[in-house]
Amino acid sequence: MFYLLLASFLWGTSFIAGKFAYETLDPALVVLFRLIIAGVILFPITLRFIKENSKSEVNWRRIALLGFLTYPATFLLQFIGLQYTSASSAATMIGIEPLMVILVGQLFFKEKASLTIWLLGTIAFIGVFLLVGLSDNEEISLIGCLLVLASTIVVALWLRLSKSVLGNLNPKVYTALSLQLGTLIGLPFMLLLVKDWNINFSYSSIIALLYLGIGCSLFANWAWNKGLSETETNKSGIFLALEPVFGVLFSIILLNDSLSITSWVGVALVILSAAVCLVLPKKN
């Protein structure tokens, strides 16, 4: 489960890097550039896979759809939402993902979760509520939080759908193929959503883009796919709740955000739910 922890850490800190990138780029361009950076780096893996598996049966349509949901759709909802609200509130909204993963599995995939998983997901949700609902940050916006919330539904969908694909493809190969195909399909949407084409690069924005592309897109998704291939879906969803914890901690350090004592209790609850999940036996 180390890979799931690593992915949650990188995704959680992406909101902070996004704030720095927004200083010089439109949110839609930030998403586009981070995906291009990751896609170019992963191109040799795709090329080698195609050469070595020219006759293999690969469901390219399914991978392309999952790539679109995983990258452009999720990132655009999150980063446009971040444009309207604070990094702390956007990151903490992600903590609803564990319950969303369980609900989507129950409603659309007929996959029942154990009482323990429901309880852990609820604890994480309560932690998120304390973090978001009682925060006194002036930048918090209902519209921004709802956009990020919508991204959690998309995440729950691609998480469950990609589980079956990972049974037939190496996580590294799947990460490369889904990211590149998803970027191509999502390109018109990303360009359409650009409101400001002015680009004024700075050292901080360049570093932020590189971190978003290499750390939060390439390594984070590879680590997640690697961890997901070895972990039950509902359990992996619990680890998504750690994203807001990492996001909050780094927003306090780098963006001077502040949290009340009640919000810190929320952080503790989210950490508790993930910690208990670490020691749960398989098939729980």
Side-chain angles (χ1 to χ4, degrees):
M1 295 185 181
F2 165 77
Y3 294 104
L4 299 179
L5 288 170
L6 175 60
S8 297
F9 166 77
L10 292 171
W11 283 335
T13 58
S14 68
F15 289 99
I16 311 303
K19 280 294 187 182
F20 284 103
Y22 289 163
E23 295 177 359
T24 54
L25 285 94
D26 183 271
L29 286 177
V30 171
V31 173
L32 176 59
F33 286 167
R34 69 180 286 187
L35 293 179
I36 289 177
I37 291 171
V40 170
I41 295 175
L42 290 171
F43 184 73
I45 295 176
T46 300
L47 187 61
R48 182 167 58 252
F49 173 78
I50 293 175
K51 288 182 178 180
E52 296 176 354
N53 301 272
S54 58
K55 296 182 179 180
S56 64
E57 294 184 3
V58 178
N59 193 331
W60 294 100
R61 291 183 179 179
R62 188 180 184 88
I63 294 176
L65 173 61
L66 287 172
F68 172 74
L69 293 176
T70 304
Y71 300 98
T74 299
F75 291 162
L76 285 173
L77 286 170
Q78 289 180 350
F79 278 79
I80 293 176
L82 180 59
Q83 188 179 26
Y84 294 100
T85 192
S86 68
S88 292
S89 62
T92 51
M93 286 301 295
I94 300 298
I96 298 176
E97 285 177 342
L99 273 182
M100 196 64 71
V101 170
I102 297 173
L103 287 173
V104 168
Q106 193 97 2
L107 295 175
F108 301 104
F109 295 86
K110 297 181 180 180
E111 182 178 330
K112 294 183 178 181
S114 68
L115 181 60
T116 302
I117 294 297
W118 272 107
L119 179 60
L120 292 176
T122 302
I123 291 174
F125 174 78
I126 293 173
V128 169
F129 176 78
L130 294 176
L131 279 164
V132 179
L134 300 179
S135 176
D136 57 0
N137 194 305
E138 295 181 356
E139 294 183 31
I140 290 179
S141 162
L142 177 60
I143 294 177
C145 287
L146 287 177
L147 286 171
V148 180
L149 177 62
S151 76
T152 67
I153 300 175
V154 176
V155 168
L157 287 171
W158 65 252
L159 189 153
R160 290 192 168 277
L161 292 171
S162 61
K163 178 73 172 179
S164 60
V165 179
L166 285 167
N168 301 315
L169 276 180
N170 181 287
K172 187 186 299 183
V173 173
Y174 173 70
T175 301
L177 296 179
S178 60
L179 189 149
Q180 292 159 353
L181 291 173
T183 301
L184 288 175
I185 296 176
L187 182 62
F189 298 95
M190 289 183 278
L191 294 177
L192 184 64
L193 289 172
V194 175
K195 296 181 179 180
D196 185 1
W197 289 93
N198 293 318
I199 301 176
N200 299 302
F201 282 117
S202 63
Y203 287 114
S204 61
S205 64
I206 292 175
I207 293 174
L209 279 175
L210 290 174
Y211 180 74
L212 287 169
I214 300 173
C216 303
S217 297
L218 194 161
F219 284 112
N221 282 83
W222 166 78
W224 181 262
N225 290 330
K226 176 70 174 176
L228 180 61
S229 66
E230 303 171 353
T231 310
E232 296 171 45
T233 307
N234 285 327
K235 283 186 179 180
S236 66
I238 300 297
F239 284 89
L240 292 173
L242 288 173
E243 287 184 52
V245 173
F246 292 124
V248 164
L249 294 178
F250 274 80
S251 67
I252 291 173
I253 296 172
L254 300 177
L255 301 180
N256 296 318
D257 283 352
S258 61
L259 291 177
S260 65
I261 295 177
T262 305
S263 296
W264 279 112
V265 172
V267 170
L269 290 176
V270 175
I271 293 177
L272 175 64
S273 64
V276 172
C277 190
L278 278 173
V279 300
L280 283 178
K282 292 184 178 180
K283 295 182 180 180
N284 196 314

